Amino acid sequence: NSTNNQAIKLATIYQWIMPLENRFNWYFGAGGALTNFNDTNTDNKTALLLAANIGLEYNLKIPVQITLGTRPELGFTTGVNALNLNTALGVRYRF
């Protein structure tokens, strides 16, 4: 059983960064998001999300970081209250 999902999400997370050793850090944070989505089984819905964030980052010698993190999100909307877990490998530019 396959569904076609369409979604857009705007999220903001405040992070605290803690050094580990050498160029490794770990981070954690909290924030929120607003998302609008639909799939083949539901009408268009908007949800408010509470989000947390935890992960590891490695600072390269150039201003770039490699990250591995996870972000659990708790969503609130009529008929769809859910806990989702997003995990990502990322590349970030460091200012």
Side-chain angles (χ1 to χ4, degrees):
N1 188 5
S2 138
T3 61
N4 295 319
N5 296 315
Q6 295 179 342
I8 187 167
K9 184 187 298 182
L10 177 64
T12 182
I13 304 277
Y14 186 86
Q15 292 181 336
W16 291 270
I17 299 171
M18 306 295 173
L20 285 174
E21 63 178 61
N22 295 330
R23 290 184 259 157
F24 282 97
N25 298 318
W26 72 280
Y27 59 88
F28 63 96
L34 183 64
T35 186
N36 184 277
F37 64 95
N38 65 18
D39 63 36
T40 56
N41 299 323
T42 65
D43 294 329
N44 196 31
K45 297 209 183 255
T46 300
L48 179 62
L49 307 170
L50 294 178
N53 182 263
I54 189 166
L56 295 170
E57 66 184 22
Y58 178 74
N59 295 297
L60 300 174
K61 291 183 180 182
I62 59 175
V64 173
Q65 299 169 323
I66 307 294
T67 66
L68 178 62
T70 187
R71 184 172 70 205
E73 297 175 331
L74 181 58
F76 303 97
T77 189
T78 306
V80 180
N81 295 324
L83 178 63
N84 294 312
L85 184 64
N86 301 301
T87 302
L89 177 64
V91 177
R92 301 192 289 206
Y93 181 80
R94 185 178 67 246
F95 291 93

